[in-house]
Amino acid sequence: MNDHAHESHDHHHEESFVSKYIFSLDHKMIGKQFLIFGLIMFMVGGGLAMLFRWQLAWPDKPLPIIGVSKAYQEEGEVTTAADRKWEERFDDDKETWLETNMPSGVIDPAFFNSLFTMHATIMVFFVVVPLLVGAFGNFLIPLMIGTRDMAFPVLNMLSFWSNILGTIIMMAGFFVPSGHAAAGWTGYAPLSSVPELSGVDWGQNLWCISLIVMGISSLMGSINYITTIINMRAPGMTWFRLPLAIWALFIVAILLLLAFPVVASALALILFDRMAGTSFFAAAGGGEPLLWQHLFWFFAHPEVYILILPGMGMASEMLPVFARKPIFGYKSMVFAMIAIAFLSWIVWGHHMFQSGMNPALGLSFMTTTMLIAVPSAIKTFNWLGTLHRASIRFTVPMLNVLAFISMFVIGGLSGIFMANAPVDIYIHDTYFIVAHIHYVVFGGSVFAIFGGIFYWFPKMYGRHMNATLGKIHFWISFLAFNGVFFPMHILGVGGHMRRIANPMQYEFLQQMQPISAQPINVFITVCAFILGVAQFLLLINVFWSIFRGKVAEQNPWQATTLEWHAPTPVPHGNFDAIPHVYHGPYEYSVPDAEADWIPQTQPNGESEHGEGEPVPAGATAD
Amino acid sequence: MKWLNFPAWLPENVSTFGQGVDNLFILIYWITAIVFVAVMAVLIVFIIKYRFQEGRKAEYIEGSTTLEIVWTAATTVIVFGLAMLSLPQWNDIKFPSKFPGNPGAVVQVNGKQFNWDMTYPGPDGEWGTDDDLQLENQLHVPVNEVVHIRLTADDVIHSFFVPQLRLKQDALPGRFINMWFEATKPGTYEIPCAELCGFGHSGMLGYLTVHTAEDYEAWKNERWTE
Ligand code: HEM
Ligand SMILES: [Cu+2]
Ligand SMILES: [Cu+2]
């Protein structure tokens, strides 16, 4: 494998546009492809959320601009251009996409279900995983372990392009007759497995097929990551000199490898039920609806940790750099992640406390779920410990990391409520859960992604992003994020169910004490619009900086890890010579050292070369 | 402040076991609130106190085994304590073997797109006979008496939810799940469906009417003899 990498390094042949930018085999280019892809899908997923937030704040009111006027809705009086347009649409014979999904500009309840289903599906499988695992995993792994590329570059390219194939299949679902999948991102059977019960036909089929393709893409990535990290570490890069981001990605790759086959088989069973007349999940044919939930959550609970572990790892990279201090408790950070990975296989039942599963099982799942809060707490305390007696630089990445830590704390703590089976009786399937999800995944992972993009951008593109714009984006996002998701806890405590298109159909929500759910939903929606619009600042910053950003030096943050040892822009093959590793990844402010950081590549002792032989990769010496 | 005081937003509780659930909620609320405030206080003090200042260097601290042990142990004790404390509540509410006997009413509730069908066994106390009483979206029960419910669904999964009773249970096609409650206050309460069940999920709504003993007798006399 090393030989192959050498080869491609030595022959500096000119590459065509197609082999350089499209079917690239270079891990850095593939990482960047995933980055751009993920950012675009982030806007798509966000756009869907804007639509259903409108409906939740102002149920059954026509959308602005494309919707009809009040006068037309109530009296049929044509007053605006949109009214006229709708008049025409209703008059002709064919039923257009808009007429089916948003008649008069009002979101149809069936379309509402597709909207939140696809919002979550896109955010989980097409945004957070591609960004964390696809973009950062690809870009960082070879650079941070000191090698020239991934073990299997072709597999890597295929992983990206099967991801695009999966995306095309998923997006096609919006345009098939009878609409896109509408059974929630959790796709509970038999709603998802019997077409007559949901009225959704090919939408749900495409949903299943696309997720299987996406899973294959992840599988190819994870095999690559595992092989690369085990076999291709630079000399001296022992396991306990690995940066925490690499540890996190390594663990995540293993989780993906083991979790995906389970959900792939479950999705295949749904397809059989839908298309081949089997009845795995429908009780009427002797099937078992809970089987789907067990299979799905056995996959999806590890999946939610796949969504956070790389974020934790990336935060643990940025924190020491801007605190100028070693990470507190490096080894306990590693063991906490390993513990999370193990425990994540035995907690899935906490999603099923009220499902009709044997209540005695609920008790054991409550216990394991409580246990998984322990390593999460350990990580939080270690991040706090890292700040103790530090020298903190409030750069854009650091602001995002501090947000990550504090938002993750809220998400972890709300998890305790839900892990408690009797309390979960009441808050299960309410907005309390929605708040929890978003504090961990948006507040956690997405803020880590924001920070990570800014932090590694200079290495990716050889230019800096704009710091002022970065700070504006951060502060608006941070405040609006809390404006959107904190009040959702309160709605949940008031009993507000999730996945309902019109909360005002319920007395108890109208009469919610001390404030009705209605104005709270309006407040949330207004904050959501601000949050959504603010993401354009990120997009502008990224795309503008790719071409116009301030040119970056090789190591602008004075960081110790190997990616900063590579030249900027990073050439094909990454390093001039494979680096030797002499230190752990977080040697900041070492007493008696001249600078406040010691790169992993700096030999021990006086002389530049010689002495302090590096330990070969794979050796256990620390 | 009321935005931060979660328990204040709980709807009125009208079931015998609801108070136990609320107490656990309030306990967890206070534990997590204290942890949150403490963590944020430490974080804020650190980022102010240890912000970059000319001439001061960060200290090289790699960790502390003592601290790791302390916070691992402390968290473990707290979360296990919570799990133990919640055992009795869970047992009382969900274990059929622990249900109190002598129900004042026994009803079958059947979720179907997009209604709740209630079936009373009628005077003979048996389902499937001529005197069964079937009602759509109307559940009538006596106050201060145990009610037994046999929950099932016709088509997809639904979830029987009465916020004021602190009771939620998914209804599964092909299965009968038993549950119970005892309401402590007469009145009418909504029974939303809490599990996504299709395009009509939003608005799938039944009503629970809790009668005083006399009213319930009167209702029974009027409806059961029809
Ligand atoms: C302290 C650790 C955590 C605990 C104790 C915990 C506990 C729980 C429980 C009990 C539920 C199910 C609640 C219900 O449906 O009634 C849940 C849901 C969920 N959790 Fe966590 N959680 C923790 C951390 C995380 C993390 C780190 C993530 C992801 C990054 C996460 C993502 C989710 C998601 C996405 C759901 C909702 C799935 C759905 O129904 O759509 N959680 N959590
Ligand atoms: Cu889970
Ligand atoms: Cu429903």
mmCIF file of all heavy atoms in Angstrom, chain A residues 435-469:
data_model
loop_
_atom_site.group_PDB
_atom_site.id
_atom_site.type_symbol
_atom_site.label_atom_id
_atom_site.label_comp_id
_atom_site.label_asym_id
_atom_site.label_seq_id
_atom_site.Cartn_x
_atom_site.Cartn_y
_atom_site.Cartn_z
ATOM 1 N N ALA A 435 -36.058 18.635 21.134
ATOM 2 C CA ALA A 435 -35.054 19.533 21.721
ATOM 3 C C ALA A 435 -33.756 18.767 21.976
ATOM 4 O O ALA A 435 -32.663 19.214 21.615
ATOM 5 C CB ALA A 435 -35.588 20.140 23.016
ATOM 6 N N HIS A 436 -33.879 17.587 22.570
ATOM 7 C CA HIS A 436 -32.696 16.768 22.868
ATOM 8 C C HIS A 436 -31.880 16.467 21.601
ATOM 9 O O HIS A 436 -30.683 16.719 21.546
ATOM 10 C CB HIS A 436 -33.147 15.458 23.528
ATOM 11 C CG HIS A 436 -32.096 14.390 23.598
ATOM 12 N ND1 HIS A 436 -31.059 14.431 24.499
ATOM 13 C CD2 HIS A 436 -31.921 13.250 22.873
ATOM 14 C CE1 HIS A 436 -30.298 13.355 24.329
ATOM 15 N NE2 HIS A 436 -30.796 12.632 23.350
ATOM 16 N N ILE A 437 -32.570 15.968 20.587
ATOM 17 C CA ILE A 437 -31.882 15.632 19.340
ATOM 18 C C ILE A 437 -31.081 16.819 18.841
ATOM 19 O O ILE A 437 -29.925 16.699 18.450
ATOM 20 C CB ILE A 437 -32.881 15.282 18.219
ATOM 21 C CG1 ILE A 437 -33.809 14.161 18.615
ATOM 22 C CG2 ILE A 437 -32.163 14.939 16.941
ATOM 23 C CD1 ILE A 437 -34.905 13.923 17.577
ATOM 24 N N HIS A 438 -31.726 17.987 18.844
ATOM 25 C CA HIS A 438 -31.053 19.125 18.233
ATOM 26 C C HIS A 438 -29.947 19.682 19.106
ATOM 27 O O HIS A 438 -28.972 20.205 18.586
ATOM 28 C CB HIS A 438 -32.077 20.185 17.836
ATOM 29 C CG HIS A 438 -32.911 19.745 16.663
ATOM 30 N ND1 HIS A 438 -34.080 19.049 16.798
ATOM 31 C CD2 HIS A 438 -32.705 19.854 15.324
ATOM 32 C CE1 HIS A 438 -34.574 18.763 15.599
ATOM 33 N NE2 HIS A 438 -33.756 19.244 14.684
ATOM 34 N N TYR A 439 -30.084 19.582 20.419
ATOM 35 C CA TYR A 439 -28.952 20.026 21.243
ATOM 36 C C TYR A 439 -27.734 19.149 21.034
ATOM 37 O O TYR A 439 -26.609 19.643 21.021
ATOM 38 C CB TYR A 439 -29.339 20.113 22.729
ATOM 39 C CG TYR A 439 -29.813 21.510 23.053
ATOM 40 C CD1 TYR A 439 -31.151 21.854 22.970
ATOM 41 C CD2 TYR A 439 -28.895 22.512 23.366
ATOM 42 C CE1 TYR A 439 -31.575 23.139 23.195
ATOM 43 C CE2 TYR A 439 -29.303 23.804 23.600
ATOM 44 C CZ TYR A 439 -30.642 24.124 23.516
ATOM 45 O OH TYR A 439 -31.048 25.410 23.730
ATOM 46 N N VAL A 440 -27.917 17.849 20.865
ATOM 47 C CA VAL A 440 -26.736 17.019 20.641
ATOM 48 C C VAL A 440 -26.239 17.101 19.196
ATOM 49 O O VAL A 440 -25.039 17.207 18.956
ATOM 50 C CB VAL A 440 -26.942 15.542 21.069
ATOM 51 C CG1 VAL A 440 -26.807 15.401 22.557
ATOM 52 C CG2 VAL A 440 -28.256 14.992 20.595
ATOM 53 N N VAL A 441 -27.165 17.050 18.238
ATOM 54 C CA VAL A 441 -26.687 16.962 16.856
ATOM 55 C C VAL A 441 -26.381 18.344 16.258
ATOM 56 O O VAL A 441 -25.342 18.524 15.640
ATOM 57 C CB VAL A 441 -27.669 16.181 15.962
ATOM 58 C CG1 VAL A 441 -27.107 16.058 14.559
ATOM 59 C CG2 VAL A 441 -27.896 14.795 16.521
ATOM 60 N N PHE A 442 -27.258 19.311 16.468
ATOM 61 C CA PHE A 442 -26.960 20.651 15.942
ATOM 62 C C PHE A 442 -25.996 21.363 16.898
ATOM 63 O O PHE A 442 -24.894 21.757 16.507
ATOM 64 C CB PHE A 442 -28.254 21.449 15.748
ATOM 65 C CG PHE A 442 -28.101 22.664 14.861
ATOM 66 C CD1 PHE A 442 -29.106 23.019 13.960
ATOM 67 C CD2 PHE A 442 -26.970 23.458 14.898
ATOM 68 C CE1 PHE A 442 -28.978 24.134 13.139
ATOM 69 C CE2 PHE A 442 -26.832 24.573 14.087
ATOM 70 C CZ PHE A 442 -27.842 24.907 13.206
ATOM 71 N N GLY A 443 -26.419 21.488 18.153
ATOM 72 C CA GLY A 443 -25.569 22.168 19.137
ATOM 73 C C GLY A 443 -24.219 21.489 19.264
ATOM 74 O O GLY A 443 -23.186 22.130 19.433
ATOM 75 N N GLY A 444 -24.212 20.160 19.199
ATOM 76 C CA GLY A 444 -22.959 19.430 19.284
ATOM 77 C C GLY A 444 -22.299 19.350 17.927
ATOM 78 O O GLY A 444 -21.498 20.210 17.540
ATOM 79 N N SER A 445 -22.677 18.337 17.164
ATOM 80 C CA SER A 445 -21.959 18.050 15.921
ATOM 81 C C SER A 445 -21.855 19.238 14.974
ATOM 82 O O SER A 445 -20.788 19.507 14.438
ATOM 83 C CB SER A 445 -22.645 16.905 15.189
ATOM 84 O OG SER A 445 -22.958 15.901 16.101
ATOM 85 N N VAL A 446 -22.954 19.953 14.747
ATOM 86 C CA VAL A 446 -22.896 20.984 13.711
ATOM 87 C C VAL A 446 -21.988 22.141 14.138
ATOM 88 O O VAL A 446 -21.239 22.673 13.322
ATOM 89 C CB VAL A 446 -24.309 21.454 13.308
ATOM 90 C CG1 VAL A 446 -24.241 22.616 12.331
ATOM 91 C CG2 VAL A 446 -25.077 20.300 12.687
ATOM 92 N N PHE A 447 -22.010 22.503 15.418
ATOM 93 C CA PHE A 447 -21.072 23.548 15.835
ATOM 94 C C PHE A 447 -19.626 23.066 15.731
ATOM 95 O O PHE A 447 -18.725 23.844 15.392
ATOM 96 C CB PHE A 447 -21.402 24.073 17.230
ATOM 97 C CG PHE A 447 -22.459 25.141 17.200
ATOM 98 C CD1 PHE A 447 -23.789 24.841 17.455
ATOM 99 C CD2 PHE A 447 -22.131 26.445 16.869
ATOM 100 C CE1 PHE A 447 -24.774 25.818 17.384
ATOM 101 C CE2 PHE A 447 -23.107 27.431 16.801
ATOM 102 C CZ PHE A 447 -24.431 27.116 17.051
ATOM 103 N N ALA A 448 -19.403 21.772 16.002
ATOM 104 C CA ALA A 448 -18.047 21.239 15.813
ATOM 105 C C ALA A 448 -17.660 21.320 14.333
ATOM 106 O O ALA A 448 -16.513 21.628 13.996
ATOM 107 C CB ALA A 448 -17.964 19.800 16.304
ATOM 108 N N ILE A 449 -18.641 21.072 13.458
ATOM 109 C CA ILE A 449 -18.368 21.178 12.022
ATOM 110 C C ILE A 449 -18.045 22.626 11.640
ATOM 111 O O ILE A 449 -17.068 22.886 10.924
ATOM 112 C CB ILE A 449 -19.572 20.656 11.209
ATOM 113 C CG1 ILE A 449 -19.686 19.137 11.366
ATOM 114 C CG2 ILE A 449 -19.447 21.036 9.737
ATOM 115 C CD1 ILE A 449 -20.968 18.546 10.794
ATOM 116 N N PHE A 450 -18.853 23.570 12.143
ATOM 117 C CA PHE A 450 -18.563 24.989 11.872
ATOM 118 C C PHE A 450 -17.120 25.309 12.266
ATOM 119 O O PHE A 450 -16.365 25.912 11.510
ATOM 120 C CB PHE A 450 -19.489 25.909 12.683
ATOM 121 C CG PHE A 450 -20.929 25.919 12.231
ATOM 122 C CD1 PHE A 450 -21.924 26.396 13.084
ATOM 123 C CD2 PHE A 450 -21.294 25.467 10.972
ATOM 124 C CE1 PHE A 450 -23.260 26.421 12.687
ATOM 125 C CE2 PHE A 450 -22.628 25.485 10.568
ATOM 126 C CZ PHE A 450 -23.610 25.967 11.427
ATOM 127 N N GLY A 451 -16.758 24.903 13.485
ATOM 128 C CA GLY A 451 -15.406 25.173 13.968
ATOM 129 C C GLY A 451 -14.369 24.482 13.099
ATOM 130 O O GLY A 451 -13.351 25.067 12.726
ATOM 131 N N GLY A 452 -14.651 23.216 12.780
ATOM 132 C CA GLY A 452 -13.699 22.416 12.012
ATOM 133 C C GLY A 452 -13.452 22.987 10.621
ATOM 134 O O GLY A 452 -12.316 23.013 10.149
ATOM 135 N N ILE A 453 -14.519 23.463 9.991
ATOM 136 C CA ILE A 453 -14.334 24.031 8.650
ATOM 137 C C ILE A 453 -13.398 25.223 8.737
ATOM 138 O O ILE A 453 -12.431 25.340 7.976
ATOM 139 C CB ILE A 453 -15.695 24.456 8.046
ATOM 140 C CG1 ILE A 453 -16.561 23.224 7.772
ATOM 141 C CG2 ILE A 453 -15.475 25.244 6.752
ATOM 142 C CD1 ILE A 453 -17.957 23.549 7.261
ATOM 143 N N PHE A 454 -13.653 26.097 9.699
ATOM 144 C CA PHE A 454 -12.824 27.290 9.811
ATOM 145 C C PHE A 454 -11.373 26.923 10.140
ATOM 146 O O PHE A 454 -10.432 27.513 9.618
ATOM 147 C CB PHE A 454 -13.400 28.211 10.898
ATOM 148 C CG PHE A 454 -12.973 29.626 10.761
ATOM 149 C CD1 PHE A 454 -13.790 30.553 10.132
ATOM 150 C CD2 PHE A 454 -11.740 30.047 11.236
ATOM 151 C CE1 PHE A 454 -13.395 31.867 9.987
ATOM 152 C CE2 PHE A 454 -11.332 31.367 11.099
ATOM 153 C CZ PHE A 454 -12.161 32.276 10.472
ATOM 154 N N TYR A 455 -11.230 25.936 11.010
ATOM 155 C CA TYR A 455 -9.899 25.575 11.511
ATOM 156 C C TYR A 455 -9.045 24.905 10.434
ATOM 157 O O TYR A 455 -7.863 25.223 10.277
ATOM 158 C CB TYR A 455 -10.077 24.656 12.719
ATOM 159 C CG TYR A 455 -8.793 24.124 13.314
ATOM 160 C CD1 TYR A 455 -7.924 24.960 14.025
ATOM 161 C CD2 TYR A 455 -8.453 22.783 13.186
ATOM 162 C CE1 TYR A 455 -6.762 24.462 14.588
ATOM 163 C CE2 TYR A 455 -7.298 22.272 13.746
ATOM 164 C CZ TYR A 455 -6.450 23.121 14.446
ATOM 165 O OH TYR A 455 -5.304 22.627 14.998
ATOM 166 N N TRP A 456 -9.630 23.967 9.691
ATOM 167 C CA TRP A 456 -8.821 23.236 8.707
ATOM 168 C C TRP A 456 -8.860 23.847 7.313
ATOM 169 O O TRP A 456 -8.164 23.391 6.414
ATOM 170 C CB TRP A 456 -9.235 21.756 8.672
ATOM 171 C CG TRP A 456 -8.602 20.976 9.791
ATOM 172 C CD1 TRP A 456 -7.274 20.679 9.932
ATOM 173 C CD2 TRP A 456 -9.255 20.419 10.935
ATOM 174 N NE1 TRP A 456 -7.053 19.971 11.093
ATOM 175 C CE2 TRP A 456 -8.263 19.795 11.728
ATOM 176 C CE3 TRP A 456 -10.578 20.381 11.383
ATOM 177 C CZ2 TRP A 456 -8.552 19.139 12.930
ATOM 178 C CZ3 TRP A 456 -10.862 19.733 12.570
ATOM 179 C CH2 TRP A 456 -9.864 19.127 13.331
ATOM 180 N N PHE A 457 -9.685 24.892 7.157
ATOM 181 C CA PHE A 457 -9.797 25.530 5.846
ATOM 182 C C PHE A 457 -8.443 25.933 5.261
ATOM 183 O O PHE A 457 -8.167 25.682 4.074
ATOM 184 C CB PHE A 457 -10.730 26.747 5.952
ATOM 185 C CG PHE A 457 -11.271 27.205 4.639
ATOM 186 C CD1 PHE A 457 -12.415 26.643 4.094
ATOM 187 C CD2 PHE A 457 -10.645 28.223 3.922
ATOM 188 C CE1 PHE A 457 -12.925 27.072 2.878
ATOM 189 C CE2 PHE A 457 -11.137 28.647 2.713
ATOM 190 C CZ PHE A 457 -12.292 28.075 2.188
ATOM 191 N N PRO A 458 -7.569 26.561 6.071
ATOM 192 C CA PRO A 458 -6.272 26.979 5.517
ATOM 193 C C PRO A 458 -5.480 25.803 4.947
ATOM 194 O O PRO A 458 -4.755 25.959 3.958
ATOM 195 C CB PRO A 458 -5.530 27.564 6.723
ATOM 196 C CG PRO A 458 -6.577 27.883 7.716
ATOM 197 C CD PRO A 458 -7.718 26.955 7.471
ATOM 198 N N LYS A 459 -5.640 24.617 5.546
ATOM 199 C CA LYS A 459 -4.918 23.467 5.015
ATOM 200 C C LYS A 459 -5.624 22.921 3.781
ATOM 201 O O LYS A 459 -4.998 22.458 2.835
ATOM 202 C CB LYS A 459 -4.811 22.415 6.123
ATOM 203 C CG LYS A 459 -3.756 21.357 5.963
ATOM 204 C CD LYS A 459 -2.397 21.827 5.509
ATOM 205 C CE LYS A 459 -1.448 22.220 6.611
ATOM 206 N NZ LYS A 459 -0.148 22.697 6.115
ATOM 207 N N MET A 460 -6.942 23.013 3.781
ATOM 208 C CA MET A 460 -7.698 22.469 2.658
ATOM 209 C C MET A 460 -7.507 23.308 1.406
ATOM 210 O O MET A 460 -7.311 22.794 0.315
ATOM 211 C CB MET A 460 -9.195 22.440 2.981
ATOM 212 C CG MET A 460 -9.579 21.394 3.992
ATOM 213 S SD MET A 460 -11.372 21.419 4.187
ATOM 214 C CE MET A 460 -11.610 19.933 5.148
ATOM 215 N N TYR A 461 -7.617 24.639 1.572
ATOM 216 C CA TYR A 461 -7.656 25.490 0.387
ATOM 217 C C TYR A 461 -6.476 26.454 0.312
ATOM 218 O O TYR A 461 -6.395 27.271 -0.593
ATOM 219 C CB TYR A 461 -8.970 26.272 0.341
ATOM 220 C CG TYR A 461 -10.157 25.368 0.085
ATOM 221 C CD1 TYR A 461 -10.964 24.936 1.128
ATOM 222 C CD2 TYR A 461 -10.430 24.916 -1.203
ATOM 223 C CE1 TYR A 461 -12.030 24.079 0.896
ATOM 224 C CE2 TYR A 461 -11.486 24.062 -1.443
ATOM 225 C CZ TYR A 461 -12.291 23.652 -0.396
ATOM 226 O OH TYR A 461 -13.333 22.815 -0.636
ATOM 227 N N GLY A 462 -5.590 26.398 1.304
ATOM 228 C CA GLY A 462 -4.447 27.305 1.279
ATOM 229 C C GLY A 462 -4.819 28.744 1.553
ATOM 230 O O GLY A 462 -4.025 29.660 1.350
ATOM 231 N N ARG A 463 -6.042 28.972 1.988
ATOM 232 C CA ARG A 463 -6.481 30.331 2.295
ATOM 233 C C ARG A 463 -7.290 30.326 3.584
ATOM 234 O O ARG A 463 -7.830 29.312 3.982
ATOM 235 C CB ARG A 463 -7.366 30.878 1.169
ATOM 236 C CG ARG A 463 -6.605 31.122 -0.117
ATOM 237 C CD ARG A 463 -7.536 31.526 -1.218
ATOM 238 N NE ARG A 463 -6.830 31.651 -2.491
ATOM 239 C CZ ARG A 463 -6.253 32.781 -2.897
ATOM 240 N NH1 ARG A 463 -6.299 33.867 -2.142
ATOM 241 N NH2 ARG A 463 -5.607 32.825 -4.053
ATOM 242 N N HIS A 464 -7.360 31.490 4.209
ATOM 243 C CA HIS A 464 -8.157 31.617 5.431
ATOM 244 C C HIS A 464 -9.579 32.018 5.100
ATOM 245 O O HIS A 464 -9.820 32.746 4.141
ATOM 246 C CB HIS A 464 -7.575 32.710 6.332
ATOM 247 C CG HIS A 464 -6.386 32.252 7.105
ATOM 248 N ND1 HIS A 464 -6.500 31.521 8.255
ATOM 249 C CD2 HIS A 464 -5.060 32.417 6.895
ATOM 250 C CE1 HIS A 464 -5.300 31.257 8.733
ATOM 251 N NE2 HIS A 464 -4.396 31.792 7.920
ATOM 252 N N MET A 465 -10.504 31.603 5.957
ATOM 253 C CA MET A 465 -11.841 32.180 5.885
ATOM 254 C C MET A 465 -11.804 33.519 6.604
ATOM 255 O O MET A 465 -10.909 33.796 7.399
ATOM 256 C CB MET A 465 -12.869 31.252 6.528
ATOM 257 C CG MET A 465 -13.218 30.065 5.650
ATOM 258 S SD MET A 465 -14.180 28.809 6.505
ATOM 259 C CE MET A 465 -15.733 29.641 6.727
ATOM 260 N N ASN A 466 -12.818 34.330 6.318
ATOM 261 C CA ASN A 466 -12.859 35.656 6.918
ATOM 262 C C ASN A 466 -13.319 35.576 8.367
ATOM 263 O O ASN A 466 -14.405 35.073 8.663
ATOM 264 C CB ASN A 466 -13.818 36.526 6.112
ATOM 265 C CG ASN A 466 -13.849 37.935 6.641
ATOM 266 O OD1 ASN A 466 -14.325 38.167 7.749
ATOM 267 N ND2 ASN A 466 -13.316 38.869 5.890
ATOM 268 N N ALA A 467 -12.482 36.109 9.286
ATOM 269 C CA ALA A 467 -12.760 35.939 10.712
ATOM 270 C C ALA A 467 -13.954 36.773 11.163
ATOM 271 O O ALA A 467 -14.763 36.316 11.980
ATOM 272 C CB ALA A 467 -11.523 36.294 11.530
ATOM 273 N N THR A 468 -14.080 37.985 10.634
ATOM 274 C CA THR A 468 -15.207 38.829 11.059
ATOM 275 C C THR A 468 -16.527 38.171 10.663
ATOM 276 O O THR A 468 -17.439 38.027 11.484
ATOM 277 C CB THR A 468 -15.120 40.211 10.393
ATOM 278 O OG1 THR A 468 -13.767 40.659 10.521
ATOM 279 C CG2 THR A 468 -16.058 41.178 11.032
ATOM 280 N N LEU A 469 -16.581 37.748 9.410
ATOM 281 C CA LEU A 469 -17.790 37.085 8.947
ATOM 282 C C LEU A 469 -18.027 35.798 9.749
ATOM 283 O O LEU A 469 -19.166 35.471 10.108
ATOM 284 C CB LEU A 469 -17.645 36.767 7.452
ATOM 285 C CG LEU A 469 -18.912 36.462 6.685
ATOM 286 C CD1 LEU A 469 -19.945 37.546 6.901
ATOM 287 C CD2 LEU A 469 -18.590 36.322 5.190
#
